[in-house]
Amino acid sequence: MAIVYLNGEFLPLADAKISVLDRGFIFGDGVYEVIPVYGRRLFRLQEHLQRLENSLQGIKLVNPLTHAQWVETLQSIVAHNPGEDQSVYLQVTRGPAKREHNFPAKIVPTVFVMSDPLLTPPPSPGVSAITCPDTRWQRCEIKAITLLANVLHRQQAVETGAVEAILIRDDHVMEGAASNVFIVQRNVAITPPKSQFILPGITRDLVLEVMQVANLACREEHITIAQLRTADEIWLTSSTREILPVIRLDKRLVGRGQPGPLWQQVWQLYQDYKQRLRTYA
Ligand code: PDD
C-alpha cells in the first residue's frame, strides 16, 4: 500500500486520518501542489516550492516546514513509493478548529503528502475541449484546494465528450479548468500573461523556457475568444498532462484537426528536457 506523510509521520494510506473539523474539510481552507517525478527526481522542485510559498502567503498561512524539511519530506515520499515516475501531491491546510470563518488564534496546520504512479501520456493524437464562462473567484494565482468551480467546469467538459474546459472571462482566454492554455498564430505560440486570474503553471513556464532556448517564437499576451477560435493550434499544459494538443474546440476543428507542427517540435523539446533530468548524474 502507498506510504503517505501526515504531520511528521510516514504511514500507510489507510492509517492516515485527520479531524473532521480540519478547516481544509470544512472551508477548503488550504493550498496544494502537484509535482511530477521522473527517474525518482522531483521535477522543477524549487519552482513548485516557491509557488507553494506564494500560495501560503496568499492565504496568510506561515509555511509549517522549512525549505530543507520540504525537500527531505518529498524525497522520502518518493523513496517510500514504487515507480521511477511518480506524481507527488502535497496539501497544507490551516488545521483543525471549532468552525468559525475567521482564523482561530491557536491552530496547527495539517501537512499531507502522497504519491501516485505517473504514467507519461503518449504523444497525443489530439483531444477535444469546450469553452465556458469562467465562474471562479479572483485569486486564481493561489493554488487553493477550494476547487469546486474547477471541478464543475471539468465535469461539464467530460459530459460533452471533451477533456478540458477553456475558461473565458470578459471575452478573453484565461486557462483550462486544470491546465494553462497556449495558442499558435502564424507560427508564434501565445499564452496569457500571469495575473490574479490564472495559476502560474510550472509547465507553462517550462514551455516558454524551452521555446526561447530553441529560438522558437513565443509571447505572453492576452488572447481573445476570436483568436482562440481562429488559432492554428491550441495546447493545454499541466504537470500531469504535459503538453496536450487540442484538435477540436466546441465541436469545431482546430486548424487541420490534427496536432500541429509547432506542438510536435515543442513536445519533443519537453521530452528531451525530461530525459536530461532522468540521466543527469
Ligand atoms: N493542476 N491551471 C490550473 C487551474 C491548474 O489546476 C493547473 C494544474 C495548471 C497547470 O499548472 P502546472 O503546470 O504547474 O501543473 C494550470 C494540477 C495538475 C492539478 O490540480 O491536479
Side-chain angles (χ1 to χ4, degrees):
M1 180 183 289
I3 299 295
V4 303
Y5 171 93
L6 181 62
N7 297 332
E9 271 187 278
F10 291 91
L11 67 181
L13 178 62
D15 297 339
K17 302 269 166 43
I18 60 158
S19 163
V20 290
L21 287 181
D22 195 284
R23 287 176 64 101
F25 181 58
I26 297 286
F27 292 118
D29 183 358
V31 298
Y32 76 106
E33 279 293 323
V34 177
I35 312 174
V37 171
Y38 300 112
R40 295 203 170 265
R41 294 192 165 114
L42 289 143
F43 195 59
R44 297 241 132 183
L45 180 58
Q46 304 312 322
E47 287 83 351
H48 280 281
L49 289 179
Q50 183 58 54
R51 186 172 65 184
L52 172 66
E53 186 62 47
N54 298 346
S55 295
L56 286 166
Q57 279 177 18
I59 68 163
K60 301 188 164 100
L61 184 54
V62 176
N63 197 333
L65 301 189
T66 64
H67 190 274
Q69 284 171 326
W70 273 118
V71 173
E72 200 192 321
T73 305
L74 293 167
Q75 284 174 344
S76 299
I77 272 294
V78 173
H80 274 102
N81 283 283
E84 288 295 292
D85 293 358
Q86 302 178 23
S87 171
V88 171
Y89 175 90
L90 72 85
Q91 172 169 321
V92 181
T93 73
R94 207 172 303 276
K98 182 176 176 308
R99 186 181 183 277
E100 198 177 8
H101 285 66
N102 55 288
F103 304 165
K106 281 203 187 113
I107 184 163
V108 179
T110 300
V111 181
F112 174 62
V113 187
M114 65 179 170
S115 181
D116 281 311
L118 177 65
L119 301 174
T120 295
S124 174
V127 298
S128 297
I130 59 166
T131 53
C132 54
D134 191 345
T135 61
R136 300 173 306 160
W137 68 334
Q138 309 212 345
R139 298 298 308 277
C140 299
E141 84 282 12
I142 299 172
K143 201 162 172 57
I145 60 170
T146 330
L147 286 173
L148 189 52
N150 306 60
V151 165
L152 293 175
H153 286 313
R154 172 62 70 80
Q155 184 59 23
Q156 191 182 334
V158 169
E159 282 172 9
T160 59
V163 307
E164 185 60 302
I166 296 180
L167 308 178
I168 309 296
R169 202 188 278 260
D170 298 331
D171 279 337
H172 283 81
V173 174
M174 297 296 123
E175 60 179 336
S179 56
N180 291 110
V181 175
F182 284 73
I183 64 163
V184 176
Q185 251 185 345
R186 288 178 292 279
N187 246 7
V188 180
I190 308 171
T191 194
K194 290 181 185 170
S195 73
Q196 73 197 89
F197 298 113
I198 70 167
L199 184 81
I202 307 295
T203 319
R204 167 199 182 277
D205 285 355
L206 182 53
V207 165
L208 290 172
E209 190 181 306
V210 296
M211 288 190 77
Q212 277 152 8
V213 170
N215 266 324
L216 295 169
C218 53
R219 292 205 296 255
E220 294 176 79
E221 266 176 26
H222 295 291
I223 301 172
T224 63
I225 178 84
Q227 280 176 293
L228 181 73
R229 297 224 179 278
T230 54
D232 301 324
E233 300 183 25
I234 301 175
W235 314 333
L236 304 169
T237 64
S238 84
S239 292
T240 42
R241 290 177 155 181
E242 303 186 346
I243 314 169
L244 263 189
V246 176
I247 55 167
R248 229 173 248 276
L249 182 71
D250 293 331
K251 300 204 167 12
R252 271 177 255 141
L253 292 187
V254 175
R256 297 209 178 112
Q258 55 193 32
L262 196 54
W263 171 80
Q264 187 71 48
Q265 240 178 314
V266 174
W267 181 85
Q268 191 56 55
L269 291 172
Y270 194 86
Q271 300 308 315
D272 295 346
Y273 185 96
K274 276 169 47 187
Q275 195 50 32
R276 283 199 296 277
L277 180 87
R278 275 204 180 92
T279 50
Y280 180 69

